[in-house]
Amino acid sequence: MGERGSSLLAKLVLILSFAVVALGSNTVTNLKAFYLVQQWLGSYCNQADTKCCYPPSGKPSPDFTIDGLWPYSGDGNFAYNCGDDNYDVGRDELRKSWPSFTCPQIGRKFWVHEWNKHGTCTKSILGEIPYLEAALNLKKQANIYQALAKAGITPGNKFYSLKDIKRALARSIGFHPWVRCNHNAQGHSQIWQVSFCADKTGTHLIECPFIPAGRNDCASHIQLPPYY
């Protein structure tokens, strides 16, 4: 992100609100890594009893989009809900890479929610602006949609081997992914979230130090469903 983009993001944050609530006791003191979690919104929207709405900017191009940037500590937990910062932000790149499909649309509140839930836990390392910038920059390093496409894994009704998906991602991006699945309305296992890890500065990708037990919820063959 260039100086112009950083400056714009800084101004947007500063002109809105400076009210800050002190961090809670859950602040990470033994940070090991950040987990950049990306999601395939097609797999969220095609679940049973789930309704999605396009962002105000309209239907985005198919891509894995950011769900959050989660701090991980050495005790095996992801820190969350460490405090509230009452600010708001608007930016074209966030709308593209970090959209919400919820109904009704929550728009900017999604970014504020993720900052309040996860970002505040490492505020001494990454403030509001650096946290958002880190997530956007890491997404560029971990282009999941492009990596899968290079391996011939494209959206549709076809089933792909989970091993092939992980192998394609590792070969293209250079690090092993944490892949999570859910089920569509027909009960088929499908790729939902893919996580890659970053160092304690939120700058460079690294191998994930930990994959939570019981959360590798994918079948041996899964779908990458059509984008919503």
Side-chain angles (χ1 to χ4, degrees):
M1 182 180 297
E3 292 183 1
R4 181 181 178 183
S6 297
S7 176
L8 175 60
L9 188 54
K11 290 178 181 178
L12 287 167
V13 172
L14 291 173
I15 64 176
L16 287 166
S17 176
F18 295 90
V20 177
V21 179
L23 295 180
S25 59
N26 291 330
T27 303
V28 173
T29 57
N30 188 25
L31 180 69
K32 295 297 183 183
F34 285 97
Y35 282 60
L36 176 71
V37 183
Q38 298 186 60
Q39 62 183 343
W40 183 249
L41 289 169
S43 296
Y44 172 78
C45 296
N46 70 2
Q47 297 178 94
D49 302 319
T50 300
K51 181 181 179 182
C52 287
C53 292
Y54 293 142
S57 56
K59 183 178 180 179
S61 300
D63 196 6
F64 280 79
T65 56
I66 299 171
D67 182 43
L69 185 63
W70 302 353
Y72 168 72
S73 59
D75 61 1
N77 294 311
F78 293 98
Y80 62 94
N81 294 340
C82 299
D84 291 320
D85 275 4
N86 298 316
Y87 81 100
D88 205 350
V89 64
R91 180 169 168 76
D92 288 343
E93 191 167 358
L94 284 172
R95 295 187 185 99
K96 177 182 177 182
S97 298
W98 205 331
S100 166
F101 273 28
T102 56
C103 290
Q105 262 294 318
I106 59 173
R108 296 170 180 161
K109 293 180 181 179
F110 183 32
W111 310 323
V112 176
H113 164 78
E114 285 299 315
W115 163 253
N116 285 336
K117 183 174 181 179
H118 297 291
T120 53
C121 296
T122 53
K123 189 177 178 181
S124 63
I125 300 170
L126 292 175
E128 298 98 327
I129 300 168
Y131 174 81
L132 296 170
E133 289 180 338
L136 292 172
N137 289 330
L138 289 169
K139 183 185 184 305
K140 293 175 183 177
Q141 297 179 47
N143 192 324
I144 298 169
Y145 186 71
Q146 183 181 77
L148 293 177
K150 286 181 179 178
I153 300 171
T154 57
N157 297 318
K158 184 178 178 179
F159 283 84
Y160 297 96
S161 164
L162 177 60
K163 290 183 179 180
D164 288 344
I165 288 175
K166 290 182 176 180
R167 185 181 299 113
L169 292 172
R171 285 178 175 174
S172 178
I173 296 172
F175 298 93
H176 292 89
W178 172 23
V179 179
R180 296 193 64 194
C181 296
N182 62 10
H183 295 85
N184 64 15
Q186 290 72 44
H188 298 153
S189 183
Q190 57 187 6
I191 189 170
W192 172 38
Q193 292 180 335
V194 178
S195 300
F196 286 93
C197 291
D199 62 12
K200 292 187 286 186
T201 68
T203 305
H204 304 291
L205 294 178
I206 61 172
E207 290 291 353
C208 291
F210 175 73
I211 299 297
R215 298 181 74 174
N216 296 315
D217 38 13
C218 297
S220 60
H221 287 76
I222 61 178
Q223 290 179 313
L224 176 65
Y227 204 62
Y228 183 72

